[in-house]
């Protein structure tokens, strides 16, 4: 009899917990917000001294892919960061941003260079939020030849995956994808096959969305 009572109590608790989760919240994994970014001119080969412009502007009504809805993300922390790796040789060069002049208005944008103990270089900061719009723009000018991969990612899932917004399910974390050039281009992913590094010539092609597209990635050569 005692075992039956315990079993019934357990079943009731499970049903009660399940019924407390809204139907809209019964999806697997985390939220997957998507924000746009443009890189121009989008070419396979640049010359030393060329200017590459990166621009990201979007409304605070942000699309979420899992629920296929827009949510109001006002004063939201996206924690964008960008880097460039040289993948010409068998060892990835994470200091490759030193091969570029980075032009960014650090008065307008809260963005700074960050150098890790390993020597890897990134730029980290935040979008400017004004009048319901987010924005970030900067330029890159190559100074050395090589095969490079650029990427801009949001670190929300590492730094603040549980921040709130209207309508958020309490049991769901947040991830943010950066979509480069509106999926109208393959962003030169085919050039990654020229790299001798296994991750780039093989692994990213096994799952290109998760390992390339969602990181706002772009592969290119710089020549004299």
């Amino acid at each position: 009899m005692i075992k039956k009572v315990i079993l019934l109590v357990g079943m009731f608790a499970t049903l009660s917990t399940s019924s407390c989760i809204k139907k809209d919240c019964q999806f697997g994994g985390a939220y997957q917000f998507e924000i746009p970014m443009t890189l121009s001119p989008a070419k396979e080969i640049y010359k030393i001294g060329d200017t590459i412009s990166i621009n990201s502007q979007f409304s605070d009504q942000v699309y979420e892919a899992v629920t296929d809805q827009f949510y109001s993300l006002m004063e939201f922390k996206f924690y964008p960061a960008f880097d460039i790796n040289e993948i010409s040789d068998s060892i990835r060069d994470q200091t490759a941003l030193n091969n570029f002049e980075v032009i960014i208005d650090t008065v307008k944008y809260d963005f700074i260079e960050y150098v890790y103990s390993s020597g890897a270089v990134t730029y980290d900061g935040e979008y400017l939020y004004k009048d319901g719009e987010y924005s970030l723009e900067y330029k890159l000018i190559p100074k050395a030849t090589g095969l490079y991969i650029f990427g801009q990612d949001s670190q929300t899932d590492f730094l603040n995956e549980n921040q709130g917004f209207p309508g958020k399910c309490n049991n769901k974390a947040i991830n943010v994808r950066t979509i480069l050039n509106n999926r109208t281009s393959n962003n030169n992913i085919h050039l990654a096959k020229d790299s001798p590094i296994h991750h780039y010539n093989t692994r990213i092609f096994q799952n290109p969305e998760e390992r390339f597209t969602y990181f706002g990635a772009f592969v290119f050569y710089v020549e004299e």
Side-chain angles (χ1 to χ4, degrees):
M1 182 67 179
I2 294 176
K3 288 184 179 179
K4 289 184 179 179
V5 171
I6 293 173
L7 180 61
L8 287 171
V9 170
M11 289 175 63
F12 178 77
T14 301
L15 288 171
S16 298
T17 302
S18 178
S19 64
C20 288
I21 300 175
K22 296 184 297 183
K23 184 176 181 181
D24 290 347
C25 298
Q26 294 176 4
F27 58 88
Y31 286 105
Q32 300 291 340
F33 286 100
E34 297 189 352
I35 56 176
M37 183 174 68
T38 301
L39 182 151
S40 63
K43 303 194 300 183
E44 292 188 4
I45 300 173
Y46 299 92
K47 301 291 186 182
I48 291 176
D50 283 350
T51 298
I52 305 169
S53 297
I54 293 89
N55 184 285
S56 185
Q57 293 183 313
F58 55 97
S59 163
D60 60 11
Q61 305 303 303
V62 183
Y63 176 71
E64 196 285 315
V66 178
T67 60
D68 192 27
Q69 296 182 43
F70 286 83
Y71 293 88
S72 181
L73 303 187
M74 297 178 289
E75 300 287 353
F76 193 81
K77 298 299 182 184
F78 289 96
Y79 306 103
F82 68 86
D83 65 2
I84 295 179
N85 293 319
E86 185 178 0
I87 56 175
S88 307
D89 300 317
S90 57
I91 298 177
R92 177 179 57 159
D93 182 1
Q94 295 178 282
T95 71
L97 258 180
N98 293 327
N99 294 346
F100 293 77
E101 179 183 355
V102 179
I103 302 174
I104 186 168
D105 185 346
T106 54
V107 174
K108 183 177 181 180
Y109 301 108
D110 180 16
F111 238 80
I112 60 171
E113 181 183 35
Y114 188 85
V115 181
Y116 292 82
S117 58
S118 64
V121 182
T122 67
Y123 271 73
D124 302 66
E126 194 52 77
Y127 292 96
L128 173 67
Y129 181 64
K130 184 177 181 181
D131 299 328
E133 296 279 337
Y134 291 94
S135 66
L136 174 64
E137 57 183 343
Y138 52 93
K139 300 180 187 298
L140 303 168
I141 300 177
K143 300 184 293 184
T145 61
L147 176 62
Y148 297 97
I149 182 167
F150 160 87
Q152 181 176 306
D153 187 23
S154 288
Q155 303 178 80
T156 308
D157 55 335
F158 295 111
L159 300 176
N160 199 354
E161 68 175 3
N162 294 312
Q163 63 185 301
F165 56 85
K168 181 181 183 294
C169 300
N170 293 330
N171 64 323
K172 298 298 179 182
I174 300 167
N175 188 41
V176 179
R177 303 166 175 172
T178 304
I179 307 301
L180 181 63
N181 293 335
N182 196 31
R183 289 193 174 93
T184 57
S185 163
N186 66 8
N187 294 315
N188 298 338
I189 189 174
H190 58 282
L191 294 181
K193 289 186 178 292
D194 295 347
S195 172
I197 302 171
H198 178 74
H199 175 77
Y200 297 105
N201 64 39
T202 301
R203 288 195 74 246
I204 63 171
F205 293 95
Q206 296 168 349
N207 191 347
E209 286 196 330
E210 295 289 342
R211 296 172 182 169
F212 186 85
T213 303
Y214 294 156
F215 290 98
F218 186 85
V219 185
F220 60 97
Y221 278 101
V222 174
E223 297 181 351
E224 291 283 358

